[in-house]
Amino acid sequence: MTPADREFFAALADVVFGNPFSAQRSKVIVRLAPGAKPGDLTVDREALARVVAPKLEPFLREGASGLRRFGAEDRRLIEPALLYVGYHRCVPQLDALIERQAGQGGEPLAVPFGDEVVAGLVGSGVAPEQAPRYFALYYQLRRAFYFIYRSLAGECESMRKFREALWNNVFTHDMRGFEAALWNRMEDFSTLLLGETGTGKGQAAAAIGRSAFIPYLPEKHRFAANFTETFIATNLSQFSEQLIESELFGHRKGAFTGAIDNHQGVFERCDPHGALFLDEIGEVSIPAQIKLLQVLQERTYTPVGGREKKRFSGRVIAATNRPLGELRRQGRFRDDFFYRLCSDVIELPTLRQRIAESTKELEQLVELLVARIAGADSPALVASVLEALDVSLPRGYGWPGNVRELEQAVRRILLTGRYAAELPRTGERAEGLEAALIEGRLTADEMLARYCALLYERLGSYTAVAERTGLDPRTSRKYVLANKA
């Protein structure tokens, strides 16, 4: 192996174990595959694999036995390349499997190509007892990319960072450590999703929950679980305080009036290879928080009216649009519960932030929503929706309901030709600004735009806003127009 070979394979290892949504990874790929352009990598994701395979070929002429002639350091460099090429060879089959499984419940589908992939891994020098685990890792990688990239639309910088955070949540920031020690320990890492109503917390949770490691069972030629059933979501705000413990932990017959039969709670129904999504965690009472804390710490719980302890083996993902900092100060959300929940905290970008970063973001989302509603791409419908939004809404409309509101706006325009949003009153706008400041969700530009818009409503002129803020009159006008809604 030449020094140039070693340099190439060392850089490739950073790609193999890196986050596919990081800005740095794309730069490394362009350096290793000079013919590929950064923008093309989202379309042609096999560009680097086509470069790596020929570089590996001279080292593989003698098969796995030939690799033994390399020293330990060189083998360590070449192994990621072998895994990378093996992964890309089975990507089309994995994608087809995911597409088929996504539409079916019940038992996991058969994997007719599993034996071939496992044999190829063994032929590349992977120990026979380890090859099924690497195949399961291939499947996990592909599912994570499928759900993180395809189900979360948007190409602005905040969405790139959001996808990067989700990937780290599934595989950690360093896949070397994940592959070596944490691949079967991720249930110990709970996740807290924070974001305004309608930003997509449920989709983000599903992307994490459906991307868990699922073992491959060679003797059964299938994976151990169906990813469509390993994710369970429940909205805690819909249950009364009396029923929420039953929903979470289940109950035994006769535990309370109306308990006419045994009932499995969501903790019991959750697959060991899956995740439980607790939406609106900010609405949970203190007694329920204490019991949830016990589950997170001890991994055990007891059904209402029961005595036996049951074990929970899945992962917990929680979300809220409430200002947790304020709830903690008021004593309505326990600090110890918060710190046990927040192994990772991911904040979802607002629609107004995304549109401010890229003017194309709204158009891309409308295209996606129209295609989803109509069942096919329709440029004519997209154009009519965008025109109606431009006519119906004031400049710089803030989209308080975020993507969920946009989806309903698209539906209403398709039905009626227009969308008349309910604009917030000044008092509501002030409360919203205060909450956003307390939670630390605003950039400097967003803060100034919303504050200047609020002042303009109260003072009635750009000059008065400039005097109150100390900004140049033209600057104050720019900020008012940026968020005049």
Side-chain angles (χ1 to χ4, degrees):
M1 190 179 290
T2 67
D5 291 331
R6 292 188 179 95
E7 182 181 356
F8 177 88
F9 288 121
L12 178 66
D14 291 336
V15 172
V16 172
F17 295 113
N19 189 314
F21 302 108
S22 70
Q24 295 79 5
R25 187 176 189 264
S26 295
K27 295 177 182 177
V28 176
I29 291 178
V30 171
R31 179 161 58 87
L32 295 179
K37 298 179 181 179
D40 295 338
L41 297 176
T42 58
V43 178
D44 183 8
R45 294 186 178 275
E46 312 302 311
L48 181 56
R50 290 195 296 272
V51 173
V52 176
K55 283 188 173 290
L56 273 177
E57 196 275 332
F59 306 114
L60 299 178
R61 287 171 183 162
E62 300 176 28
S65 60
L67 296 176
R68 299 191 185 99
R69 73 177 188 272
F70 291 104
E73 186 64 22
D74 284 348
R75 281 202 306 272
R76 185 185 65 79
L77 285 174
I78 207 170
E79 284 170 359
L82 293 169
L83 295 174
Y84 184 78
V85 171
Y87 168 72
H88 279 274
R89 283 174 180 162
C90 65
V91 157
Q93 294 166 300
L94 288 171
D95 284 350
L97 174 64
I98 293 168
E99 291 281 1
R100 292 198 308 272
Q101 188 71 84
Q104 291 187 297
E107 288 293 309
L109 294 176
V111 186
F113 60 95
D115 289 348
E116 179 185 351
V117 176
V118 170
L121 286 164
V122 173
S124 296
V126 176
E129 64 275 12
Q130 293 293 326
R133 181 166 72 84
Y134 279 109
F135 181 40
L137 181 59
Y138 285 175
Y139 186 48
Q140 183 184 15
L141 288 166
R142 204 59 197 169
R143 276 182 289 121
F145 186 83
Y146 180 92
F147 290 112
I148 293 174
Y149 181 71
R150 296 193 186 184
S151 64
L152 298 167
E155 299 299 330
C156 65
E157 178 62 10
S158 62
M159 285 301 291
R160 184 198 66 76
K161 291 180 178 178
F162 176 48
R163 292 192 183 98
E164 184 177 7
L166 290 177
W167 186 272
N168 286 343
N169 190 270
V170 174
F171 296 107
T172 78
H173 76 286
D174 183 357
M175 279 193 62
R176 294 176 179 87
F178 173 85
E179 191 278 324
L182 295 174
W183 59 274
N184 61 345
R185 302 289 300 174
M186 294 306 292
E187 71 272 9
D188 290 335
F189 297 87
S190 51
T191 303
L192 184 58
L193 301 173
L194 302 178
E196 294 183 8
T197 297
T199 48
K201 296 185 289 296
Q203 285 182 302
I208 297 170
R210 292 176 179 147
S211 301
F213 181 88
I214 300 176
Y216 178 65
L217 308 176
E219 68 283 0
K220 296 184 178 180
H221 305 286
R222 63 174 177 81
F223 289 97
N226 178 349
F227 66 79
T228 65
E229 298 187 348
T230 59
F231 174 72
I232 295 179
T234 184
N235 189 315
L236 301 178
S237 64
Q238 66 182 312
F239 299 101
S240 66
E241 188 172 342
Q242 291 75 24
L243 291 179
I244 196 167
E245 290 188 26
S246 174
E247 168 66 12
L248 292 172
F249 311 118
H251 65 249
R252 293 294 169 255
K253 181 178 179 180
F256 50 83
T257 302
I260 60 175
D261 206 345
N262 291 340
H263 169 69
Q264 284 188 330
V266 290
F267 278 102
E268 189 170 359
R269 299 200 304 270
C270 187
D271 190 277
H273 307 296
L276 176 59
F277 176 43
L278 304 178
D279 199 5
E280 302 296 353
I281 196 70
E283 307 292 336
V284 176
S285 67
I286 293 296
Q289 291 178 34
I290 294 172
K291 293 192 175 183
L292 283 169
L293 177 62
Q294 178 182 348
V295 178
L296 293 173
Q297 288 180 334
E298 302 176 8
R299 310 297 296 181
T300 61
Y301 64 94
T302 302
V304 178
R307 295 182 178 179
E308 76 282 16
K309 283 193 173 183
K310 293 182 173 291
R311 177 167 176 78
F312 172 65
S313 299
R315 190 175 187 181
V316 171
I317 306 168
T320 184
N321 60 6
R322 300 286 300 276
L324 284 185
E326 182 179 344
L327 294 178
R328 289 166 63 194
R329 285 191 295 273
Q330 295 173 352
R332 296 166 59 191
F333 202 89
R334 291 173 61 97
D335 284 343
D336 52 0
F337 184 45
F338 170 78
Y339 289 122
R340 190 58 185 83
L341 266 180
C342 67
S343 297
D344 191 14
V345 178
I346 300 177
E347 295 192 35
L348 283 75
T350 62
L351 181 54
R352 60 183 171 276
Q353 176 185 347
R354 295 165 62 178
I355 294 173
E357 290 177 4
S358 172
T359 55
K360 294 182 178 180
E361 196 77 359
L362 182 65
E363 181 179 345
Q364 291 172 346
L365 286 169
V366 169
E367 288 175 353
L368 176 71
L369 292 168
V370 167
R372 184 184 299 167
I373 295 168
D377 293 337
S378 178
L381 286 179
V382 170
S384 66
V385 168
L386 290 172
E387 181 180 0
L389 289 175
D390 186 56
V391 172
S392 301
L393 297 177
R395 182 178 178 181
Y397 178 62
W399 293 104
N402 292 289
V403 178
R404 185 181 297 144
E405 180 189 0
L406 176 60
E407 181 173 3
Q408 294 310 312
V410 171
R411 292 179 184 277
R412 193 174 302 177
I413 289 169
L414 292 176
L415 287 174
T416 69
R418 62 189 299 273
Y419 177 63
E422 293 185 9
L423 301 180
R425 296 184 294 271
T426 301
E428 294 173 346
R429 192 189 305 277
E431 292 175 2
L433 176 58
E434 180 184 13
L437 288 171
I438 291 173
E439 294 177 47
R441 290 189 278 104
L442 299 179
T443 65
D445 281 343
E446 286 179 319
M447 180 175 66
L448 276 171
R450 293 176 66 173
Y451 180 52
C452 287
L454 178 65
L455 289 177
Y456 182 80
E457 286 188 0
R458 291 180 175 177
L459 303 176
S461 73
Y462 300 120
T463 301
V465 173
E467 291 176 353
R468 180 67 61 86
T469 59
L471 296 171
D472 178 88
R474 288 174 298 180
T475 303
S476 66
R477 184 176 185 274
K478 180 191 73 171
Y479 279 121
V480 171
L481 292 177
N483 197 3
K484 196 171 181 180

